[in-house]
mmCIF file of all heavy atoms in Angstrom:
data_model
loop_
_atom_site.group_PDB
_atom_site.id
_atom_site.type_symbol
_atom_site.label_atom_id
_atom_site.label_comp_id
_atom_site.label_asym_id
_atom_site.label_seq_id
_atom_site.Cartn_x
_atom_site.Cartn_y
_atom_site.Cartn_z
ATOM 1 N N ALA F 208 -20.653 -7.986 -1.766
ATOM 2 C CA ALA F 208 -20.889 -6.612 -2.052
ATOM 3 C C ALA F 208 -20.653 -5.783 -0.738
ATOM 4 O O ALA F 208 -19.940 -4.754 -0.721
ATOM 5 C CB ALA F 208 -22.205 -6.287 -2.610
ATOM 6 N N GLN F 218 -10.010 1.433 2.729
ATOM 7 C CA GLN F 218 -8.766 1.489 1.922
ATOM 8 C C GLN F 218 -8.566 2.850 1.297
ATOM 9 O O GLN F 218 -7.543 3.491 1.272
ATOM 10 C CB GLN F 218 -8.754 0.393 0.762
ATOM 11 C CG GLN F 218 -7.487 0.331 0.016
ATOM 12 C CD GLN F 218 -6.432 -0.454 0.799
ATOM 13 O OE1 GLN F 218 -6.466 -1.668 0.864
ATOM 14 N NE2 GLN F 218 -5.531 0.217 1.359
ATOM 15 N N ALA F 224 -5.496 9.702 3.505
ATOM 16 C CA ALA F 224 -4.788 10.296 4.675
ATOM 17 C C ALA F 224 -3.310 10.066 4.712
ATOM 18 O O ALA F 224 -2.578 11.068 4.951
ATOM 19 C CB ALA F 224 -5.441 9.738 5.964
ATOM 20 N N SER F 225 -2.880 8.855 4.439
ATOM 21 C CA SER F 225 -1.406 8.545 4.489
ATOM 22 C C SER F 225 -0.702 9.231 3.312
ATOM 23 O O SER F 225 0.432 9.688 3.464
ATOM 24 C CB SER F 225 -1.227 7.073 4.503
ATOM 25 O OG SER F 225 -1.691 6.467 3.336
ATOM 26 N N ALA F 251 9.831 6.509 5.489
ATOM 27 C CA ALA F 251 10.374 5.249 6.068
ATOM 28 C C ALA F 251 9.730 4.901 7.387
ATOM 29 O O ALA F 251 9.467 3.713 7.726
ATOM 30 C CB ALA F 251 11.942 5.438 6.218
ATOM 31 N N LEU F 261 1.944 -5.508 10.510
ATOM 32 C CA LEU F 261 1.893 -6.713 9.770
ATOM 33 C C LEU F 261 2.503 -7.891 10.505
ATOM 34 O O LEU F 261 2.130 -9.039 10.407
ATOM 35 C CB LEU F 261 2.464 -6.593 8.398
ATOM 36 C CG LEU F 261 1.681 -5.631 7.432
ATOM 37 C CD1 LEU F 261 2.559 -5.459 6.168
ATOM 38 C CD2 LEU F 261 0.346 -6.170 7.051
ATOM 39 N N CYS F 283 -5.757 5.031 14.633
ATOM 40 C CA CYS F 283 -4.399 5.255 14.767
ATOM 41 C C CYS F 283 -3.892 6.265 13.714
ATOM 42 O O CYS F 283 -2.976 7.158 13.998
ATOM 43 C CB CYS F 283 -3.587 3.919 14.466
ATOM 44 S SG CYS F 283 -3.760 2.829 15.902
ATOM 45 N N ALA F 303 4.187 9.453 12.317
ATOM 46 C CA ALA F 303 4.363 8.700 11.123
ATOM 47 C C ALA F 303 4.313 7.156 11.412
ATOM 48 O O ALA F 303 3.618 6.449 10.565
ATOM 49 C CB ALA F 303 5.714 9.043 10.496
ATOM 50 N N VAL F 408 8.267 -14.071 14.377
ATOM 51 C CA VAL F 408 8.837 -15.300 13.795
ATOM 52 C C VAL F 408 7.702 -16.143 13.227
ATOM 53 O O VAL F 408 7.846 -16.672 12.026
ATOM 54 C CB VAL F 408 9.584 -16.107 14.841
ATOM 55 C CG1 VAL F 408 10.021 -17.406 14.295
ATOM 56 C CG2 VAL F 408 10.847 -15.312 15.260
ATOM 57 N N ALA F 416 4.021 -22.262 3.510
ATOM 58 C CA ALA F 416 2.800 -23.024 3.305
ATOM 59 C C ALA F 416 2.552 -23.425 1.854
ATOM 60 O O ALA F 416 1.754 -24.261 1.583
ATOM 61 C CB ALA F 416 1.563 -22.281 3.853
ATOM 62 N N VAL F 462 -2.882 12.277 -11.230
ATOM 63 C CA VAL F 462 -2.905 11.516 -12.497
ATOM 64 C C VAL F 462 -2.173 10.181 -12.325
ATOM 65 O O VAL F 462 -2.768 9.163 -12.820
ATOM 66 C CB VAL F 462 -2.225 12.367 -13.635
ATOM 67 C CG1 VAL F 462 -1.968 11.486 -14.824
ATOM 68 C CG2 VAL F 462 -3.077 13.573 -14.009
ATOM 69 N N ALA F 466 -4.393 6.785 -12.691
ATOM 70 C CA ALA F 466 -4.028 5.771 -13.715
ATOM 71 C C ALA F 466 -3.816 4.450 -13.013
ATOM 72 O O ALA F 466 -4.182 3.369 -13.508
ATOM 73 C CB ALA F 466 -2.739 6.213 -14.421
ATOM 74 N N ARG F 483 -2.080 -17.488 -14.791
ATOM 75 C CA ARG F 483 -0.540 -17.370 -14.669
ATOM 76 C C ARG F 483 -0.238 -15.965 -14.125
ATOM 77 O O ARG F 483 0.488 -15.196 -14.719
ATOM 78 C CB ARG F 483 0.009 -17.563 -16.063
ATOM 79 C CG ARG F 483 -0.261 -18.924 -16.662
ATOM 80 C CD ARG F 483 0.251 -19.063 -18.051
ATOM 81 N NE ARG F 483 1.680 -18.882 -18.145
ATOM 82 C CZ ARG F 483 2.631 -19.795 -17.936
ATOM 83 N NH1 ARG F 483 2.170 -21.050 -17.640
ATOM 84 N NH2 ARG F 483 3.867 -19.633 -18.055
ATOM 85 N N LEU F 485 1.696 -15.001 -11.717
ATOM 86 C CA LEU F 485 3.116 -14.734 -11.418
ATOM 87 C C LEU F 485 3.858 -14.286 -12.620
ATOM 88 O O LEU F 485 4.589 -13.322 -12.598
ATOM 89 C CB LEU F 485 3.802 -16.015 -10.757
ATOM 90 C CG LEU F 485 5.269 -15.811 -10.366
ATOM 91 C CD1 LEU F 485 5.411 -14.652 -9.387
ATOM 92 C CD2 LEU F 485 5.766 -17.128 -9.822
ATOM 93 N N ALA F 496 9.724 -0.767 -14.893
ATOM 94 C CA ALA F 496 11.130 -0.197 -14.992
ATOM 95 C C ALA F 496 11.375 0.682 -16.245
ATOM 96 O O ALA F 496 11.936 1.706 -16.220
ATOM 97 C CB ALA F 496 12.141 -1.398 -14.990
ATOM 98 N N LEU F 497 10.737 0.195 -17.364
ATOM 99 C CA LEU F 497 10.829 0.940 -18.644
ATOM 100 C C LEU F 497 10.102 2.295 -18.556
ATOM 101 O O LEU F 497 10.516 3.316 -18.980
ATOM 102 C CB LEU F 497 10.341 0.134 -19.807
ATOM 103 C CG LEU F 497 11.168 -1.131 -20.204
ATOM 104 C CD1 LEU F 497 10.421 -1.916 -21.213
ATOM 105 C CD2 LEU F 497 12.583 -0.701 -20.655
ATOM 106 N N LEU F 519 1.626 6.608 -17.130
ATOM 107 C CA LEU F 519 2.187 5.265 -17.516
ATOM 108 C C LEU F 519 2.710 4.617 -16.340
ATOM 109 O O LEU F 519 2.554 3.411 -16.134
ATOM 110 C CB LEU F 519 3.214 5.508 -18.599
ATOM 111 C CG LEU F 519 3.867 4.242 -19.151
ATOM 112 C CD1 LEU F 519 2.854 3.288 -19.782
ATOM 113 C CD2 LEU F 519 5.017 4.664 -20.141
ATOM 114 N N LEU F 535 -1.687 -14.257 -3.798
ATOM 115 C CA LEU F 535 -1.350 -14.815 -2.367
ATOM 116 C C LEU F 535 -2.552 -15.434 -1.719
ATOM 117 O O LEU F 535 -2.360 -16.568 -1.173
ATOM 118 C CB LEU F 535 -0.879 -13.578 -1.490
ATOM 119 C CG LEU F 535 0.422 -12.925 -1.808
ATOM 120 C CD1 LEU F 535 0.621 -11.602 -1.051
ATOM 121 C CD2 LEU F 535 1.595 -13.926 -1.523
ATOM 122 N N ALA F 542 -7.384 -21.104 6.035
ATOM 123 C CA ALA F 542 -7.247 -20.676 7.403
ATOM 124 C C ALA F 542 -6.106 -19.678 7.590
ATOM 125 O O ALA F 542 -6.042 -18.984 8.649
ATOM 126 C CB ALA F 542 -7.093 -21.913 8.316
ATOM 127 N N GLY F 545 -5.171 -14.571 5.963
ATOM 128 C CA GLY F 545 -4.855 -13.294 6.633
ATOM 129 C C GLY F 545 -3.434 -13.262 7.087
ATOM 130 O O GLY F 545 -2.710 -12.181 6.906
ATOM 131 N N SER F 575 21.294 13.701 -7.809
ATOM 132 C CA SER F 575 20.483 13.298 -9.011
ATOM 133 C C SER F 575 19.359 12.488 -8.619
ATOM 134 O O SER F 575 19.465 11.302 -8.159
ATOM 135 C CB SER F 575 21.349 12.622 -10.016
ATOM 136 O OG SER F 575 20.605 12.089 -11.038
ATOM 137 N N LEU F 582 18.096 3.405 -10.589
ATOM 138 C CA LEU F 582 18.603 2.364 -9.805
ATOM 139 C C LEU F 582 17.442 1.521 -9.118
ATOM 140 O O LEU F 582 17.465 0.364 -9.118
ATOM 141 C CB LEU F 582 19.591 2.856 -8.779
ATOM 142 C CG LEU F 582 20.936 3.336 -9.259
ATOM 143 C CD1 LEU F 582 21.794 3.868 -8.152
ATOM 144 C CD2 LEU F 582 21.669 2.208 -9.973
ATOM 145 N N SER F 599 7.576 -21.397 -10.643
ATOM 146 C CA SER F 599 7.062 -21.023 -9.336
ATOM 147 C C SER F 599 6.832 -22.279 -8.467
ATOM 148 O O SER F 599 6.907 -22.187 -7.345
ATOM 149 C CB SER F 599 5.649 -20.263 -9.489
ATOM 150 O OG SER F 599 4.797 -21.036 -10.241
#
Side-chain angles (χ1 to χ4, degrees):
Q218 186 79 77
S225 60
L261 293 171
C283 291
V408 172
V462 167
R483 300 174 62 84
L485 183 56
L497 294 174
L519 182 60
L535 289 171
S575 172
L582 289 175
S599 59

